[in-house]
Amino acid sequence: MTLQFPMLVDGAWVPSSDDRWINSHEPGTGEVWAQIPAATEGDVDRAVMAAHRAMRSGPWSEMTASARGEALVRLSELVSGHASVLAEAETRDTGKLIRETTGSVDYVPAFYRYYGGLADKIQGHTLPSDKPGMEIFTYREPVGVVAAIVPWNSPQMLLAVKLAPALAAGNAVVIKPSEHGSIPILEFGKLVEQAGIPRGVVNIVTGRGDPVGNVLTRHRLVSRIAFTGGPDTARTIVRNSAENFASVSLELGGKSPQIVFADANLDSALNGIVGGIFGASGQSCVAGSRLYVQREIYDDFIARLIDRTEQIRLGSPLDPDSEMGPLATREQLGRFDLYVGSTPAEGGRVLTGGGRPVEPAMGWFVEPTILETHAKGIRAQEDEIFGPVLAVTTFNDQADAVEKANATQYGLAAGVWTSAVERAHQMIRALSAGIVWVNTYRATSPVAPFGGLRDSGGGRESGADAVYDYTSVKTAWINSSDEVVADPFKVQ
Ligand code: NDP
């Protein structure tokens, strides 16, 4: 019998109110392995109302900031204690390798701990009043009901960067996970109550983007939308926010450049390039999907890169020895075929990969692929594919590298490989991206802000400042003078 995972609404684990379910596929086999509820508009409304109630009355609204922080620390410990269940759920549901989900889930507790520690350090200010006898100060209050919209590619981590600061600041949350990655979030949700977070504070509604995400992001009682996903959905959400004037943060995709200078440690660069694009089968917002190599080392470096790429071991996501897993959805396969297939006609060529592997025979696997894209206008070099496809070309000097790297509407991340410290600083300043990694790639931390520019979205997740995005400022004025308040109609 197919496993069924109910959703969390107002502290209860429930099916959708019309008892409709959506099949969830296991990308490693392509087979259905479980079902999740297809929430109705009414279910979404119930979840938002529960969050709204939890904000206004009851134990959560009365909890001190320190107690909220302690609950987050307990949650971090519970995630650690259940790491293997959570990692396996993410692997089965999304096809991400068990070695990757284990690493990611092992790091998730650090985010709940970090924001747990910040909960009682969210402070207002006493302002230097310009009016004698008048005290002015500010409070930082929770903003209200937060809608957290999470994609499938790293669901538990991308939830943590939203949920942890939202709860630290005292908000209540309605989570809408991707229909392709709901089960790890539902498994995580079981820990929320155990952490002592009261009923209704965290709700999880599952189902398709439309209607579930649509109804949620338009809801009149939602005050803040934290979204990670693609640009088309982001545009819909921004339009929806015209209904409730919720503040919106957008963490979108990228077409991030990696730049290898001739003076770099090429062994490190090789590992950084391979991990940057083929990690998570390229289904990472910060995938280093464009590679620029300085002309004098291009041929040798690309030959080594092809050799290393062809050794990548594809296999079941549940096998700890697999080095690259499948794509997460059948639609992603079509996207891979489209971009790789059109490259030769557009003036590029396939250096390695480009098709389906012989082994594994089942599941949504594609080969790790390198395309040479010297010509302009090759779509695989310009658009986010969200798969294991690397577009490579040369550059002449530093100015040429900057110009080529910045020639994109995206602006999420960039990688620079060089041993010259002055060049490193110059490149950090010159690259138009929210994150620049030098001699490393894909490093993240709860302490480090994360986010992009232009089509990569706006706003920053992680870091201490992110918690303020989940607060609103209340300004208080107190007249502390003994004098009678002036008669408004008497000229002084
Ligand atoms: P989508 O934009 O399709 O989906 C993201 C989330 O939005 C899912 O939960 C989806 O639900 C939901 N959604 C879909 N339609 C709506 C709607 N009308 N209203 C509200 N919510 C909706 O992105 P993908 O799932 O394809 O994720 C990949 C994208 O995410 C890539 O572009 C990637 O770069 C980006 N990303 C960005 C990151 C960052 O931090 N900057 C990190 C990771 C990924 P459902 O899936 O059920 O339709």
Side-chain angles (χ1 to χ4, degrees):
M1 221 184 79
T2 310
L3 289 167
Q4 289 188 324
F5 288 82
M7 58 187 182
L8 180 61
V9 178
D10 199 11
W13 291 96
V14 293
S16 71
S17 49
D18 60 4
D19 202 26
R20 280 193 310 117
W21 297 82
I22 296 176
N23 287 334
S24 197
H25 292 82
E26 187 168 355
T29 63
E31 305 289 330
V32 173
W33 81 286
Q35 292 186 318
I36 54 168
T40 63
E41 194 168 334
D43 296 329
V44 177
D45 184 57
R46 268 186 289 286
V48 175
M49 295 305 289
H52 185 63
R53 272 196 306 279
M55 286 287 308
R56 291 170 78 98
S57 57
W60 186 244
S61 64
E62 286 159 16
M63 219 183 238
T64 62
S66 326
R68 286 200 307 266
E70 284 160 18
L72 281 170
V73 171
R74 280 195 298 278
L75 188 56
S76 83
E77 288 161 357
L78 284 159
V79 172
S80 293
H82 294 75
S84 58
V85 175
L86 296 173
E88 188 178 325
E90 189 161 312
T91 289
R92 289 199 71 185
D93 211 30
T94 69
K96 198 166 177 169
L97 293 182
I98 193 75
R99 64 159 71 180
E100 291 172 334
T101 57
T102 301
S104 161
V105 169
D106 281 350
Y107 203 29
V108 161
F111 287 79
Y112 289 104
R113 248 191 340 266
Y114 178 77
Y115 286 104
L118 273 182
D120 58 4
K121 295 162 194 74
I122 302 169
Q123 298 166 348
H125 295 293
T126 305
L127 305 179
S129 173
D130 61 344
K131 303 187 184 351
M134 197 72 86
E135 317 285 343
I136 320 172
F137 51 94
T138 59
Y139 294 91
R140 285 277 180 175
E141 296 189 324
V143 72
V145 177
V146 174
I149 317 271
V150 183
W152 43 261
N153 62 331
S154 198
Q156 293 176 88
M157 180 61 84
L158 294 172
L159 173 63
V161 295
K162 299 169 178 56
L163 185 62
L167 294 181
N171 299 282
V173 182
V174 179
I175 302 162
K176 153 55 185 118
S178 167
E179 76 204 58
H180 308 294
S182 293
I183 291 162
I185 301 285
L186 293 167
E187 284 288 0
F188 161 84
K190 294 177 185 168
L191 307 176
V192 167
E193 193 185 352
Q194 292 178 45
I197 295 170
R199 159 188 173 167
V201 174
V202 176
N203 304 271
I204 307 171
V205 284
T206 57
R208 302 220 156 79
D210 190 15
V212 179
N214 244 337
V215 172
L216 177 60
T217 52
R218 300 167 77 94
H219 200 289
R220 297 290 295 167
L221 292 178
V222 167
S223 306
R224 166 100 169 81
I225 304 168
F227 171 73
T228 301
D232 291 339
T233 315
R235 287 189 185 93
T236 306
I237 284 175
V238 170
R239 279 193 290 272
N240 287 351
S241 70
E243 300 295 322
N244 51 20
F245 299 119
S247 65
V248 182
S249 61
L250 304 172
E251 295 290 347
L252 312 181
K255 191 75 187 176
S256 299
Q258 290 247 49
I259 302 160
V260 182
F261 286 95
D263 64 18
N265 177 328
L266 298 182
D267 293 336
S268 286
L270 191 68
N271 286 335
I273 305 303
V274 169
I277 183 63
F278 299 125
S281 305
Q283 301 170 121
S284 160
C285 53
V286 292
S289 50
R290 290 185 289 146
L291 173 62
Y292 299 97
V293 183
Q294 199 153 18
R295 193 173 293 281
E296 54 262 45
I297 58 164
Y298 181 81
D299 288 340
D300 287 349
F301 190 78
I302 295 298
R304 286 183 67 190
L305 182 62
I306 292 171
D307 187 47
R308 177 71 189 84
T309 301
E310 289 176 349
Q311 291 170 37
I312 292 174
R313 203 177 320 118
L314 272 68
S316 162
L318 287 164
D319 179 349
D321 291 332
S322 298
E323 293 177 341
M324 203 180 98
L327 297 178
T329 66
R330 212 185 295 273
E331 294 76 59
Q332 289 290 108
L333 283 177
R335 210 170 155 77
F336 174 91
D337 291 341
L338 180 77
Y339 279 100
V340 175
S342 64
T343 294
E346 291 167 356
R349 70 186 174 114
V350 179
L351 297 181
T352 186
R356 306 274 188 280
V358 179
E359 280 293 328
M362 284 176 64
W364 299 328
F365 288 87
V366 296
E367 292 173 319
T369 297
I370 302 178
L371 307 174
E372 191 168 60
T373 53
H374 294 323
K376 281 208 164 103
I378 299 173
R379 283 180 302 159
Q381 217 263 351
E382 294 175 351
D383 297 352
E384 183 186 48
I385 300 173
F386 222 55
V389 183
L390 179 64
V392 304
T393 188
T394 58
F395 68 90
N396 296 321
D397 56 18
Q398 197 170 317
D400 190 30
V402 169
E403 191 182 327
K404 286 177 169 158
N406 284 348
T408 174
Q409 258 307 106
Y410 290 105
L412 186 53
V416 178
W417 300 87
T418 179
S419 54
V421 71
E422 65 282 8
R423 192 200 297 284
H425 283 280
Q426 289 161 11
M427 290 298 288
I428 291 167
R429 281 196 295 272
L431 288 168
S432 179
I435 307 156
V436 180
W437 285 298
V438 178
N439 297 334
T440 183
Y441 203 76
R442 280 180 82 185
T444 56
S445 164
V447 309
F450 184 103
L453 311 167
R454 301 184 298 278
D455 281 9
S456 294
R460 295 291 177 268
E461 292 187 322
S462 299
D465 290 346
V467 85
Y468 292 110
D469 294 341
Y470 292 89
T471 66
S472 65
V473 176
K474 177 180 278 174
T475 308
W477 295 74
I478 298 181
N479 178 2
S480 61
S481 110
D482 290 333
E483 292 188 13
V484 173
V485 172
D487 181 336
F489 301 114
K490 191 167 158 193
V491 179
Q492 299 293 317

